[in-house]
Amino acid sequence: MRICLHGRPRPKQPRLLHFCFCLLGLVAICPERQWLRSSGFLVAGAAGCARLELATGARAAPESVGRGAWPHKSIQRRAAEGSAAAGGDDGSDIPRRLTLGVGLSLLAAVGAKRFLIDGPPEFDPAPGSLQGRTVLITGANTGLGKESAIRLARAGATVVITARTDEKGLQALEAIKAASSASDVHFLQLDLADLANVRSFRQRFQSQSYGEKLDVLLNNAGVMAIPERRQTKDGFEQQFGVNHLGHFTLVAQMLPLLKKATGFARVINVSSTAHLGATKENMEGDLMAPERYTQWGAYCQSKLANVLFAKELDRRFKQAGVKATAVACHPGGVDTDLARWLVVNSEDAAAAKKARKENAAFEAIGTFLTRDVQHGANTQVYLAAGADGGYDRSGGGYFDNMAPGLLNPVADDEALAKQLWTESERLTGTKLDVSSAAA
């Protein structure tokens, strides 16, 4: 039936309205103007749900009249009069409504996956554009680091990957060479959970044929959402210890080689939108107190530390006149081994993959709600290639989808960043003096 509040049948919805819904759907899949795309598929989804509700509720409405389903008796009376005047609804409109509703809802889902989850199309630096550049990528035996290494090597860079074990690193090395068709790719072992190992890294790096300088340091390695508090070899809480303190120490070690870069150097901290979940209080006092530990709280804290560190490092670069920039980025919610603790409550990445594949529903939901590494690596590859205008640009910036991202206001607290720097030096026993670093 078509309910009317004035005693007359309501006319059919104009075709113009249907056209508008279809137009919004097309906007959702067009290649430009992301804000229009987002609005388009959200409205399309709402329209789809509305059409489904109209279709499924079309016959139920007359039975609701007079049973208190609507709040005002006058509306009930007028609706009943309108129904009588219309002579009822034969239900012929229901299949069309269902078809349109399902179609719009599916279009909204596809749009959401494509633009809100997957992000922009895959970014590839031009072949040969990074010739002469040396790029160091931590945690590059899998996921985002591995994909970044493939693309940067394909663009002509000398790429050095790290992994915690020789076995993982050497396997990744061969896979990266094969995928990139590049031979100038190398591996060095690095365990960010062991500061003695980190401190020995520069010497091992310099002993190699490529080790005289470093143009880009991509701090990609990390751990996420460990349920129970665990410690690094040096006694640090593992998420903060690996994600921040390990990389802080590595930057201090590699700084003299960054100063020898061809032109400007760049340090990239792979952070996360999870940094929005951290507060100023999380960065004060005892940063790794056992009683403060929660699996997501520690992760958010470490990701905010990544941004604070990048911003303060960039400020000190500028103050010291060092030809380098430091930036941070969010890769998106990416389907990588990082989520292994959420799947099997273990650091066993192979077991996590197996568990996912054995549960079809879990696999389907996980695939829909995350982006693949090809899309996830975009922003860090974009920054490592200097595609934002050059390595001398964007210093202190935070990027998401290859554009400035939504930043936690706490990340702009310079006093807090300096405090974190001082505390990081104390905890690691490492002096990171940007102005006096020498080879």
Side-chain angles (χ1 to χ4, degrees), residues 21-177:
F21 287 150
C22 293
L23 182 61
L24 286 169
L26 290 175
V27 169
I29 60 174
C30 72
E32 302 294 337
R33 295 185 181 274
Q34 187 164 344
W35 67 272
L36 280 176
R37 292 199 299 260
S38 303
S39 302
F41 62 72
L42 289 174
V43 173
C49 293
R51 299 297 289 174
L52 287 171
E53 184 178 356
L54 284 170
T56 56
R59 287 193 174 276
E63 299 176 8
S64 299
V65 176
R67 292 193 312 203
W70 292 348
H72 301 293
K73 291 183 178 180
S74 61
I75 294 179
Q76 296 175 19
R77 176 175 54 77
R78 292 175 184 175
E81 291 172 356
S83 176
D89 192 334
D90 61 4
S92 62
D93 201 33
I94 293 177
R96 181 176 64 83
R97 288 175 174 173
L98 283 171
T99 301
L100 184 59
V102 169
L104 288 170
S105 297
L106 288 174
L107 181 62
V110 171
K113 171 63 175 170
R114 172 65 183 83
F115 296 108
L116 286 184
I117 298 175
D118 285 347
E122 183 177 331
F123 171 78
D124 254 319
S129 60
L130 298 181
Q131 200 73 40
R133 297 282 184 182
T134 302
V135 182
L136 172 62
I137 308 174
T138 65
N141 59 294
T142 186
L144 295 172
K146 184 177 179 181
E147 178 64 23
S148 299
I150 291 171
R151 287 195 230 172
L152 295 171
R154 203 156 53 203
T158 297
V159 176
V160 184
I161 66 168
T162 77
R164 285 182 296 167
T165 67
D166 289 337
E167 180 184 4
K168 291 180 179 179
L170 292 173
Q171 286 179 357
L173 178 64
E174 295 308 312
I176 292 167
K177 285 182 175 180

Side-chain angles (χ1 to χ4, degrees), residues 169-371:
L170 292 173
Q171 286 179 357
L173 178 64
E174 295 308 312
I176 292 167
K177 285 182 175 180
S180 64
S181 299
S183 59
D184 201 4
V185 184
H186 313 272
F187 162 70
L188 282 178
Q189 185 273 340
L190 175 66
D191 185 356
L192 291 164
D194 179 357
L195 292 189
N197 182 270
V198 178
R199 292 189 187 100
S200 71
F201 186 80
R202 188 179 80 188
Q203 182 179 356
R204 290 184 280 133
F205 185 93
Q206 287 181 299
S207 69
Q208 306 299 317
S209 58
Y210 51 78
E212 62 183 25
K213 70 180 180 73
L214 179 60
D215 297 284
V216 178
L217 173 53
L218 177 49
N219 292 322
N220 166 81
V223 291
M224 180 181 79
I226 303 174
E228 302 295 330
R229 189 180 188 277
R230 293 163 62 99
Q231 293 186 343
T232 68
K233 188 173 181 179
D234 301 279
F236 304 134
E237 183 277 309
Q238 191 165 351
Q239 295 192 72
F240 192 79
V242 170
N243 297 351
H244 171 61
L245 294 177
H247 281 125
F248 180 90
T249 305
L250 181 63
V251 171
Q253 292 298 312
M254 302 306 291
L255 184 57
L257 299 184
L258 286 165
K259 288 187 170 185
K260 294 182 176 182
T262 304
F264 268 72
R266 171 164 282 177
V267 175
I268 305 165
N269 287 346
V270 179
S271 181
S272 166
T273 193
H275 87 283
L276 294 169
T279 65
K280 184 175 181 178
E281 288 71 26
N282 294 136
M283 309 307 300
E284 296 177 323
D286 186 347
L287 298 175
M288 295 174 283
E291 63 273 12
R292 293 172 58 170
Y293 185 81
T294 64
Q295 66 182 116
W296 285 108
Y299 182 68
C300 294
Q301 177 199 45
S302 71
K303 294 293 101 177
L304 178 56
N306 290 155
V307 183
L308 284 165
F309 176 40
K311 284 181 167 290
E312 181 61 18
L313 180 60
D314 190 77
R315 280 191 288 267
R316 297 194 184 205
F317 280 154
K318 288 180 172 61
Q319 291 167 3
V322 176
K323 291 184 176 181
T325 54
V327 293
C329 68
H330 168 54
V334 189
D335 188 2
T336 68
D337 293 342
L338 189 66
R340 56 191 177 272
W341 286 100
L342 302 176
V343 180
V344 293
N345 195 24
S346 164
E347 64 179 351
D348 189 341
K353 289 179 180 178
K354 181 181 178 182
R356 276 190 53 171
K357 292 188 180 299
E358 290 174 350
N359 188 323
F362 189 87
E363 177 74 2
I365 294 172
T367 301
F368 180 82
L369 293 178
T370 58
R371 61 179 62 172

Side-chain angles (χ1 to χ4, degrees), residues 417-429:
K418 287 180 172 61
Q419 179 180 310
L420 174 64
W421 186 291
T422 300
E423 182 65 1
S424 299
E425 287 184 326
R426 185 188 72 80
L427 289 168
T428 62

